[in-house]
Amino acid sequence: MAYSASQPITALPHQQQQVDPHETRHVLIGMLAVMLGVAVGVLIIVAVWMGDSANTAQRQAQAAAGKVAAATSGHSMAAMPGMGTSTAAGVATPSFAGAAPANADALATARKAFPAALPAATPGPVVAVKLGINHEVLQIAPGIKYNAWTFGSGAPGPVIHARLGQTVRVTLTNNSPMAHSVDFHAARVAPNVAFRDVDPGQSFTFSFKATAPGVFMYHCGTKPVLAHIANGMYGAIVVDPPAGTLPAADKQYVLVASEWYLGSDGLKQPASLDMVKAHQMTPDWVTWNGYAGQYVKHPLTAMPGETVRFWVMDAGPSLNTAFHVVGTLLNRAWVNQDMTQYQRDVQTALVPAGGGGVFDVKIDQPGLYPVVSHSFASVDMGQVALLNVGHTAGTMTH
Ligand SMILES: [Cu+2]
């Protein structure tokens, strides 16, 4: 039966108009009352059940958090700098994002930035890599101290530059008071052998052949891996494809993304890892090459018309990077560091945690071009650099 739009919605079909309208109303009201009664009853039952479920879920969450805290604090490393005690109650500390001393600007200016320029590749058939493992206090933002675990003397560890087909011979020397290891994503090796734990005071050497080009992560793989990466145990290795297979680049920079999860503000005393924040993936700082905003104070540089190549690796431990250069497009984007093909004119390219990407920009107009993760919470927490094209004076005002 078709009704026109103007027909009153109270109009009943012809055959039902024979029934006494009062009677119909009483019947309808009665039915409505019964239905309402049933609905209210069902709602009460559901509400009681949901309340109970919520309580159960809350109890389960608290128990799980307690287990995590117990597992963490029960571990032999609990008493060491680097593992905070803020997880003891299974509750994350408040956010310390943006904490800064009064002289933060002067500190940022005075600090030498992590060298972002891609170092020269090693000639010969073997690249010998020596990685010392240390526990040390690092600055991760102006005036913010952190109890870090490192390869070499900082986080990220040294950038390694190899060529396709070279053998990479890694020697780990553990100068720290606990076991660590290293896992190279560029390697095809049995991890139980090559990536094994190395005890304090011990050295261990293994080799692998660089069989694929790109930018790859290396990191400590000792349990809990989340804690070892979050504490600074990561770095990048760039493996060049065969000579002449990539378009020429005038400048090449390596950017490693990572997050920091702090159990205190790190202003007076060094902060240690907050494992609850790490599990919840709520960092206090997110950085390029381990220090918030360092290339804002000390920008990367290029001249107009130059091709700038970014080798970007996301160390995580957990967040991805949405790589973006404000004011231009990625002329070439070797997504997932598949060096056999690139995409053109990409606005933002994903670099997943534990992954890499290679991106070319060619900027003709002088200016200051921010290099960010377009997940903008990460920018607020420090993951921003500047590419200064053509010796542009001044700083960004936004
Ligand atoms: Cu480790």
Side-chain angles (χ1 to χ4, degrees), residues 133 149 151 178-181 220-222 228 233:
I133 293 170
W149 301 343
F151 290 114
M178 57 182 279
H180 291 288
S181 58
C220 182
T222 299
H228 287 249
M233 300 194 77

Side-chain angles (χ1 to χ4, degrees), residues 261-280:
Y261 302 89
L262 274 60
S264 63
D265 61 17
L267 286 165
K268 287 204 170 65
Q269 297 297 319
S272 290
L273 173 64
D274 185 324
M275 198 63 168
V276 176
K277 280 184 185 171
H279 281 138
Q280 294 175 345

Side-chain angles (χ1 to χ4, degrees), residues 209-235:
K209 195 159 189 171
T211 57
V215 55
F216 299 89
M217 183 180 186
Y218 68 83
H219 65 89
C220 182
T222 299
K223 290 178 184 169
V225 180
L226 174 63
H228 287 249
I229 295 175
N231 271 345
M233 300 194 77
Y234 47 78

Side-chain angles (χ1 to χ4, degrees), residues 121-383:
T122 312
V126 176
V127 181
V129 176
K130 287 184 163 47
L131 292 174
I133 293 170
N134 300 291
H135 287 189
E136 60 184 324
V137 175
L138 298 181
Q139 299 262 340
I140 60 162
I144 307 300
K145 297 182 272 295
Y146 187 85
N147 283 312
W149 301 343
T150 66
F151 290 114
S153 56
V159 173
I160 302 163
H161 189 182
R163 293 193 177 101
L164 192 66
Q166 280 183 318
T167 294
V168 181
R169 190 174 66 219
V170 181
T171 301
L172 278 184
T173 301
N174 189 349
N175 310 309
S176 87
M178 57 182 279
H180 291 288
S181 58
V182 72
D183 169 335
F184 270 83
H185 289 190
R188 289 180 161 104
V189 287
N192 57 312
V193 179
F195 304 161
R196 71 172 177 81
D197 279 359
V198 180
D199 286 330
Q202 300 296 304
S203 284
F204 172 64
T205 300
F206 70 96
S207 297
F208 66 90
K209 195 159 189 171
T211 57
V215 55
F216 299 89
M217 183 180 186
Y218 68 83
H219 65 89
C220 182
T222 299
K223 290 178 184 169
V225 180
L226 174 63
H228 287 249
I229 295 175
N231 271 345
M233 300 194 77
Y234 47 78
I237 174 171
V238 169
V239 179
D240 282 343
T245 57
L246 286 186
D250 300 294
K251 290 278 169 62
Q252 301 197 72
Y253 294 116
V254 179
L255 292 177
V256 175
S258 63
E259 315 103 56
W260 301 91
Y261 302 89
L262 274 60
S264 63
D265 61 17
L267 286 165
K268 287 204 170 65
Q269 297 297 319
S272 290
L273 173 64
D274 185 324
M275 198 63 168
V276 176
K277 280 184 185 171
H279 281 138
Q280 294 175 345
M281 297 190 278
T282 51
D284 299 283
W285 297 96
V286 186
T287 56
W288 286 127
N289 291 344
Y291 187 95
Q294 60 185 319
Y295 306 115
V296 174
K297 274 290 168 209
H298 308 282
L300 311 174
T301 59
M303 291 308 288
E306 285 188 330
T307 292
V308 181
R309 181 161 297 152
F310 293 99
W311 301 80
V312 182
M313 190 278 282
D314 186 324
S318 297
L319 299 187
N320 301 326
T321 288
F323 187 77
H324 178 83
V325 182
V326 179
T328 193
L329 296 163
L330 307 175
N331 294 52
R332 305 185 188 97
W334 289 269
V335 178
N336 291 325
Q337 106 279 318
D338 172 3
M339 303 310 291
T340 66
Q341 56 190 339
Y342 58 79
Q343 298 173 8
R344 293 170 175 80
D345 298 336
V346 173
Q347 57 183 312
T348 300
L350 178 69
V351 183
V358 185
F359 311 107
D360 281 1
V361 298
K362 182 175 167 294
I363 298 170
D364 295 325
Q365 197 175 337
L368 297 170
Y369 294 78
V371 179
V372 301
S373 171
H374 215 286
S375 288
F376 256 86
S378 294
V379 173
D380 273 11
M381 288 186 270
Q383 196 182 15

Side-chain angles (χ1 to χ4, degrees), residues 71-116:
T72 307
S73 59
H75 202 274
S76 60
M77 65 189 175
M80 293 185 188
M83 284 308 286
T85 52
S86 58
T87 58
V91 176
T93 54
S95 174
F96 303 110
N103 62 341
D105 197 58
L107 290 171
T109 303
R111 182 181 178 273
K112 196 170 174 289
F114 182 97

